[in-house]
Amino acid sequence: MGEVELSCLAYAKMYLHASQFPRCSVNGLLLSSSPAGGAVCITDCVPLLHTHLSLAPITQLALTQVDAWCSQTHQRIMGYYQANACVSDSRYSSIYCREDLRALIGKIDGEKMFPGCRVPPIVMYERKDARWALKDKHTIMLRQWEETCSIVNQLFSSGDQALLVDFDSHLDDITKDWTNQKLNAKIMELVSPANGNV
């Protein structure tokens, strides 16, 4: 696999998910609408769980729902992301490394999650010869890093991080939208060139 580009939308939602539950491990799915082969653009993510990350029945239910939604929205699951409750814990949960999630694992580095961080607090792993290998950081791109950080800060200052709903929260209250359409719209509004961002 070549270069991986992480969109502002995907990064913001991953960051908000980890920030919303700072004392919990969180996970989710990385989505792409780009065709197979060549560079991969992670265009979105679906926040899944903040409790019981290892419970297979809940994970399977979530994956079934996300698969159905992806087929309607012309996206595909490219991988998995996780942030651990303990910032120094660099492990990831292998339960989610099912065959169709073999492309990427994103790990949010909690030690680098602070305002003003000069680099994205994300490391990526890719599948190489039946094992997971750390991806070269020079092949992971987040375009417009300063603008993306500014957008995340705006979401926090306006209280919009509360709009994020993960699948766990949806299971507690099915009226909550795990596809996060309100938050997506807010992020895309902030990304728009009309607001001076790209």
Side-chain angles (χ1 to χ4, degrees):
M1 178 182 300
E3 294 182 340
V4 174
E5 183 177 345
L6 192 62
S7 73
C8 177
L9 178 66
Y11 173 78
K13 287 168 66 176
M14 291 167 64
Y15 190 95
L16 294 175
H17 192 205
S19 299
Q20 191 174 43
F21 303 101
R23 292 178 179 82
C24 303
S25 294
V26 300
N27 67 10
L29 298 172
L30 303 171
L31 307 181
S32 176
S33 52
S34 57
V40 173
C41 182
I42 303 299
T43 51
D44 199 357
C45 72
V46 176
L48 289 182
L49 306 172
H50 64 270
T51 60
H52 311 298
L53 268 61
S54 60
L55 284 181
I58 293 175
T59 304
Q60 192 57 50
L61 173 64
L63 287 171
T64 301
Q65 292 287 315
V66 174
D67 280 336
W69 182 67
C70 282
S71 67
Q72 295 169 359
T73 58
H74 308 290
Q75 299 181 89
R76 60 193 172 106
I77 299 172
M78 281 303 297
Y80 165 81
Y81 75 86
Q82 180 171 319
N84 292 330
C86 178
V87 295
S88 62
D89 184 356
S90 62
R91 295 173 298 159
Y92 53 84
S93 178
S94 61
I95 191 169
Y96 299 99
C97 299
R98 60 179 217 187
E99 195 60 28
D100 60 333
L101 301 185
R102 65 182 175 269
L104 293 168
I105 292 179
K107 173 75 181 59
I108 300 172
D109 184 349
E111 293 180 327
K112 294 181 182 168
M113 281 186 67
F114 57 86
C117 183
R118 299 186 62 121
V119 294
I122 295 173
V123 292
M124 293 276 188
Y125 296 85
E126 65 182 329
R127 193 77 165 174
K128 283 190 179 178
D129 303 326
R131 67 179 194 85
W132 291 98
L134 189 63
K135 191 159 181 52
D136 180 356
K137 66 180 178 183
H138 295 96
T139 62
I140 303 166
M141 299 178 299
L142 190 80
R143 297 193 193 277
Q144 318 298 343
W145 173 240
E146 288 80 19
E147 291 84 353
T148 297
C149 287
S150 174
I151 287 168
V152 170
N153 290 336
Q154 289 177 60
L155 291 166
F156 275 106
S157 64
S158 62
D160 288 322
Q161 77 275 13
L163 294 174
L164 184 118
V165 176
D166 65 7
F167 203 80
D168 251 347
S169 299
H170 168 74
L171 291 177
D172 289 339
D173 178 356
I174 61 168
T175 64
K176 293 183 177 181
D177 177 21
W178 61 265
T179 66
N180 287 290
Q181 296 307 305
K182 286 182 184 176
L183 179 60
N184 290 356
K186 181 67 176 182
I187 294 169
M188 296 316 290
E189 177 187 316
L190 292 171
V191 168
S192 81
N195 289 319
N197 298 311
V198 177

